[in-house]
């Protein structure tokens, strides 16, 4: 029995080393078509660049969290014209699990007076795998990331953890310089694009499902902000009508989030043409100009910016009316 136990331990040790080495070789040298989890290591949605900048910023008026709707939908330059400093912590497919992690990690340094929690409700039904891989591949590696990875529990995530840890230490994978065609990173975490939506995709009706795990993480984030006396609002940025109308339970979703805090659904407050979208889910710069003006005016009228002391806000609606006409 003793001899068997020794051989078993040796085998496990050998297999573990072999597995790790295989992951490192696979992630470093395999073409993107065969190693999709390692293709966008650090470049998807400029997450690495955004988080690197977030490490250096000390103190802003507003932070935005959420999915690509966040980092493509809230332009710090527009808010700056209103006297507000904004940092955008959005990341690709960011689910409430990752939102909680990012708020916990960065609120201490960013010290926001207001947090805009942008929601894309369909992401309340996902497992959070895609966003987790994005954060890991962007160099974020700490105890909380590892704990959250075990909570999601997917072999692709463990592979990313192994490769990410070695990549952070030895820079195995050369970082891509460019992201999606037409994208430009703007300081403050925003991604600008003037690409225009070309409707092709036929969307079938579907129902948004809400995961208890994701909703629980979302509530914990709101509770954490409240405990720190940081005001938050929940916002659903507009996306194309063909996409929005494909969901059959939008009213039910509105009731859910309205019960969790001050909530704004701009899909019902605005009716933007397809020319103001990058694709059927994201605004382009023309759309962002109009949406941000509408958002700022709405929040001003409702006194949301009162928490940002010292800011002298202006009427922004007219300033961006020209963009709407394009």
């Amino acid at each position: 029995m003793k001899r068997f136990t020794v051989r078993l331990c040796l085998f496990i040790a050998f297999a573990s080393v072999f597995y790790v080495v295989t992951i490192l070789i696979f992630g470093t040298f395999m073409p993107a078509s065969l190693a999709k989890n390692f293709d966008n290591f650090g470049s998807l949605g400029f997450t690495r660049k955004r988080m690197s900048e977030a490490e250096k910023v000390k103190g802003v008026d507003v932070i935005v969290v959420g999915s690509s709707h966040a980092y493509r939908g809230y332009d710090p330059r527009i808010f700056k014209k209103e006297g507000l400093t904004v940092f955008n912590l959005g990341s690709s497919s960011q689910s409430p699990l990752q939102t909680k992690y990012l708020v916990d990690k960065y609120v201490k340094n960013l010290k926001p007076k207001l947090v805009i929690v942008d929601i894309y409700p369909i992401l309340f039904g996902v497992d959070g795998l895609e966003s987790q891989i994005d954060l890991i591949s962007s160099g974020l590696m700490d105890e909380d990331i590892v704990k959250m990875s075990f909570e999601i529990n997917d072999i692709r995530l463990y592979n990313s953890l192994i490769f990410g840890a070695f990549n952070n230490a030895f820079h195995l994978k050369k970082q891509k310089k460019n992201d999606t065609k037409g994208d430009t990173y703007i300081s403050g975490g925003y991604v600008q694009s003037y690409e225009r939506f070309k409707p092709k995709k036929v969307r079938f009706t579907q129902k948004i499902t809400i995961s208890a795990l994701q909703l629980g993480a979302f509530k914990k984030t709101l509770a954490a902000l409240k405990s720190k006396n940081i005001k938050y609002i929940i916002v659903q940025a507009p996306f194309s009508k063909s996409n929005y109308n494909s969901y059959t339970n939008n009213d039910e979703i509105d009731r859910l989030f309205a019960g969790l805090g001050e909530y704004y659904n701009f899909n019902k407050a605005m009716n933007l043409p397809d020319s103001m979208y990058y694709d059927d889910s994201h605004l382009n710069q023309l759309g962002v100009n109009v949406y941000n003006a509408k958002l700022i005016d709405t929040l001003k009228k409702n006194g949301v910016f009162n928490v940002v002391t010292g800011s002298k806000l202006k009427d922004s609606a007219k300033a961006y009316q020209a963009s709407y006409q394009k």
Side-chain angles (χ1 to χ4, degrees), residues 220-279:
K220 287 178 182 176
T221 299
L222 301 184
L225 292 172
K226 192 173 182 179
S227 71
K228 292 179 172 63
N229 201 27
I230 299 173
K231 183 176 179 59
Y232 65 83
I233 58 171
I234 306 166
V235 178
Q236 191 173 163
F239 46 99
S240 77
K241 285 297 176 187
S242 59
N243 186 358
Y244 182 74
N245 291 334
S246 70
Y247 299 107
T248 59
N249 58 333
N250 285 319
D251 290 341
E252 177 189 342
I253 294 300
D254 283 344
R255 287 192 294 273
L256 170 65
F257 288 105
L260 297 176
E262 191 170 339
Y263 171 61
Y264 301 88
N265 182 355
F266 284 91
N267 286 293
K268 292 185 174 176
M270 304 181 77
N271 186 22
L272 300 178
D274 285 344
S275 60
M276 292 194 173
Y277 289 96
Y278 159 84
D279 56 22

Side-chain angles (χ1 to χ4, degrees), residues 127-196:
D127 57 12
L129 174 67
E130 181 180 348
S131 177
Q132 188 73 357
I133 289 176
D134 180 40
L135 295 187
I136 292 170
S137 67
S138 299
L140 295 176
M141 185 72 66
D142 54 33
E143 183 180 351
D144 290 333
I145 278 282
V146 174
K147 283 183 178 177
M148 189 162 47
S149 299
F150 277 99
E151 193 172 13
I152 297 172
N153 190 26
D154 188 290
I155 185 65
R156 291 167 290 180
L157 204 46
Y158 300 136
N159 292 342
S160 296
L161 275 175
I162 293 170
F163 188 80
F166 279 88
N167 194 49
N168 284 351
F170 303 108
H171 307 291
L172 303 174
K173 190 102 173 175
K174 186 178 180 181
Q175 298 298 310
K176 289 183 177 180
K177 293 182 178 179
N178 300 314
D179 203 69
T180 307
K181 180 185 175 184
D183 282 358
T184 301
Y185 182 81
I186 305 298
S187 179
Y190 174 66
V191 175
Q192 168 189 282
S193 175
Y194 282 95
E195 295 290 315
R196 296 204 178 194

Side-chain angles (χ1 to χ4, degrees), residues 312-326:
K312 296 179 180 178
L313 305 178
K314 302 177 293 185
D315 182 2
S316 58
K318 293 181 181 178
Y320 295 98
Q321 187 64 33
S323 299
Y324 186 83
Q325 300 299 333
K326 290 182 180 178

